[in-house]
Amino acid sequence: MAEEHDSFYSDSIYSTRSSSDSEAPLLGDEELLVYELQNKDRPNNTKGTSFGAYINITCLMAGIGVLGLPETLNKGGWIALGIIIVSMLIALYTSIIIIKCLYHNGKSRLSTYGEIGQDAFGTFGKYLVEFFHNVTLIGVSVLYFILAAENLNELASHHYDTDLGIKIWTCICAAFVSVPFIFAKTLKEVAIISIFGAFATLFCIIAIVILSFEHWRDSTDPPSYKILDLSGIPTSLATISFSYGGNNVFPHIEESMQKPRHWNRVVTAAICTCAIMYFLVAFFGYLAYGDTTVNPILKVLPEGLLLTSASILIVIHVLFTIPILMTSFAMEAEKFLNITREHHSKIVEFLLRTVFRLFLILLSVGIAILVPCFGDIMALLGALTTCLFVFVLPVLFYLKLFGWERMSYLTLIWNVFVIIVGLIGFVIGSISALNNLFEDFIVTKK
């Protein structure tokens, strides 16, 4: 059993077994059991494609975090580029094992991240996961509303000399998001709008790279750089880990797939895609602006058609990503509240779902209006929630559910390393972000 754990990407190796089982993985008993359960009792109405899942993951993950990566290098130095790669490997590993944990009992698939926590550590594990899971989904949705409203207000002020204010634009964004959020019941419907969000992100990143490169090429006064700043590494880790957040939604994405056995290859492709985009933005953004870079990077890019296009595209991206986050939250909450077809007629269920989801929109908008500290909230959320979901909890659940005593020493060392990295980002990143957030509130009151 130890040999199958020596390579934590062994789950994604597929091989031909026979003409009737050509896609079965060449794996040990543990992984084969997962594969068999993934092909058992799959609902007939599940029609989400693997490409749709890839788009959902990419759109979800490559969000606002990418805009802060150049400034992250300014805090930690060029060495922080290595954190992007290490975080990618960790995120890939934990994204694979957390889905594996859904099938750990060998009988049926668990439904949510919270159920994994309950099977691993009882009621405490369930409530711990559900608390941080809900904070993440609502918190990141709030951040997306803030970013979209800031960009739209800036665009309107600059091009049309109209200053409606962040609060009005936040309400406008909420009205736009409410339509797909209410009518897209599950994540397989949301995948359709995610395609537009993913391509918007891609073009936005291309624009950032081009503008940064042109600024660096034409600059006569190059900025200063850091190779390594140990004091900024924990904050860099927290911010970068936030960029890889989203695996608390992965159980719902995997559930929406018609072929869940493709999960490993799909999530690998999506995370690697995001990592390449992160690396390019961080490298060229820091190369161009060095110690003068800010978060988000859009604030220092030269004005023009390309920057305007990038700003519009990032707005499109975040507005198309909010439904993914909020739908994932709503699906679990609606099951808990019995807002399902099993308990109500089609019309009553739709009406109840509409009222509940409108309440969630209003809640998110209210928080966005009251707490508009974009950069520091992002770092705080990255430290508090994403470090746990991306680094710590998947490993703890995996070790508990599958038995650490059966794993090789190399695998145990890797898992301990992942936990330590996550705890460093969680503790030190939280302290730093809370201090910065407190200072922001003091400045705002003055």
Side-chain angles (χ1 to χ4, degrees):
M1 202 66 171
E3 288 78 10
E4 66 189 65
H5 289 286
D6 285 338
S7 174
F8 48 74
Y9 299 124
S10 61
D11 295 290
S12 61
I13 301 173
Y14 286 76
S15 176
T16 301
R17 283 195 167 192
S18 66
S19 59
S20 62
D21 193 20
S22 60
E23 295 191 49
L26 186 61
L27 300 168
D29 294 339
E30 181 180 301
E31 289 82 359
L32 180 58
L33 181 60
V34 172
Y35 170 79
E36 291 173 345
L37 285 175
Q38 284 179 323
N39 291 275
K40 177 184 178 182
D41 299 331
R42 182 58 50 171
N44 292 329
N45 63 347
T46 298
K47 299 181 180 180
T49 64
S50 296
F51 179 73
Y54 165 80
I55 292 295
N56 261 341
I57 297 171
T58 304
C59 186
L60 174 66
M61 189 172 288
I64 51 178
V66 69
L67 301 178
L69 291 178
E71 202 247 350
T72 296
L73 263 64
N74 186 35
K75 292 180 178 179
W78 284 112
I79 198 70
L81 285 173
I83 299 179
I84 295 176
I85 304 302
V86 173
S87 296
M88 178 201 74
L89 295 174
I90 294 175
L92 180 54
Y93 172 58
T94 56
S95 297
I96 289 174
I97 64 174
I98 199 62
I99 297 302
K100 191 175 178 180
C101 288
L102 292 173
Y103 301 88
H104 80 92
N105 61 22
K107 299 177 182 179
S108 61
R109 179 191 185 277
L110 301 179
S111 298
T112 65
Y113 212 133
E115 290 183 6
I116 297 174
Q118 183 171 23
D119 281 12
F121 296 106
T123 303
F124 171 78
K126 176 184 178 181
Y127 288 147
L128 177 69
V129 168
E130 289 181 347
F131 172 77
F132 284 110
H133 172 67
N134 294 333
V135 168
T136 299
L137 294 179
I138 297 299
V140 176
S141 298
V142 169
L143 291 177
Y144 275 57
F145 276 124
I146 293 172
L147 179 63
E150 286 181 345
N151 281 359
L152 287 172
N153 190 59
E154 181 69 24
L155 288 168
S157 299
H158 182 74
H159 294 284
Y160 299 101
D161 196 25
T162 302
D163 188 2
L164 296 179
I166 302 298
K167 295 180 180 180
I168 298 298
W169 279 114
T170 302
C171 295
I172 294 173
C173 291
F176 178 84
V177 168
S178 63
V179 176
F181 179 50
I182 291 173
F183 289 97
K185 183 178 179 180
T186 64
L187 288 176
K188 68 178 182 181
E189 291 93 357
V190 176
I192 298 174
I193 63 173
S194 297
I195 295 177
F196 297 100
F199 281 106
T201 302
L202 176 61
F203 287 119
C204 178
I205 287 173
I206 292 173
I208 293 173
V209 170
I210 292 174
L211 289 172
S212 297
F213 176 76
E214 290 180 346
H215 177 82
W216 171 77
R217 183 191 60 189
D218 300 335
S219 178
T220 57
D221 184 20
S224 60
Y225 307 103
K226 302 175 185 176
I227 300 298
L228 172 63
D229 186 347
L230 291 176
S231 64
I233 289 296
T235 304
S236 297
L237 174 63
T239 305
I240 290 173
S241 69
F242 180 83
S243 301
Y244 288 102
N247 63 356
N248 52 318
V249 183
F250 288 176
H252 295 298
I253 296 179
E254 190 262 357
E255 184 181 27
S256 71
M257 294 175 61
Q258 189 177 36
K259 296 180 179 180
R261 61 186 178 275
H262 292 169
W263 170 258
N264 293 342
R265 63 179 74 172
V266 168
V267 76
T268 298
I271 292 179
C272 288
T273 299
C274 292
I276 292 172
M277 293 190 290
Y278 295 164
F279 194 93
L280 290 174
V281 170
F283 177 82
F284 284 101
Y286 189 54
L287 179 69
Y289 297 99
D291 58 348
T292 64
T293 188
V294 297
N295 181 15
I297 186 65
L298 297 179
K299 290 183 178 181
V300 294
L301 293 175
E303 294 184 0
L305 178 61
L306 202 55
L307 176 60
T308 300
S309 301
S311 299
I312 294 173
L313 290 171
I314 202 65
V315 170
I316 293 173
H317 167 81
V318 298
L319 291 179
F320 284 171
T321 305
I322 290 173
I324 301 176
L325 298 166
M326 301 196 73
T327 299
S328 180
F329 175 85
M331 286 172 63
E332 294 185 22
E334 286 160 4
K335 288 180 181 179
F336 177 78
L337 297 172
N338 292 330
I339 305 177
T340 62
R341 288 294 305 278
E342 288 78 13
H343 297 85
H344 303 283
S345 66
K346 184 176 181 180
I347 296 177
V348 172
E349 184 241 3
F350 174 76
L351 291 175
L352 291 174
R353 188 173 76 245
T354 299
V355 172
F356 177 67
R357 295 194 177 193
L358 283 175
F359 166 76
L360 293 180
I361 290 286
L362 293 174
L363 175 65
S364 299
V365 170
I367 298 173
I369 290 174
L370 294 174
V371 191
C373 303
F374 172 74
D376 294 327
I377 293 178
M378 185 181 73
L380 179 60
L381 278 175
L384 284 176
T385 60
T386 314
C387 279
L388 286 179
F389 277 117
V390 175
F391 295 90
V392 180
L393 293 180
V395 175
L396 290 178
F397 294 161
Y398 181 63
L399 294 176
K400 182 66 167 59
L401 294 175
F402 287 95
W404 61 269
E405 67 278 357
R406 296 185 297 172
M407 301 180 184
S408 67
Y409 288 115
L410 182 61
T411 301
L412 288 176
I413 291 173
W414 166 254
N415 281 284
V416 170
F417 169 75
V418 172
I419 293 174
I420 291 174
V421 169
L423 290 177
I424 291 174
F426 175 78
V427 175
I428 302 180
S430 297
I431 294 173
S432 175
L434 282 172
N435 289 335
N436 292 335
L437 193 58
F438 181 72
E439 292 175 0
D440 281 344
F441 275 114
I442 292 177
V443 172
T444 301
K445 289 183 178 182
K446 290 180 179 180

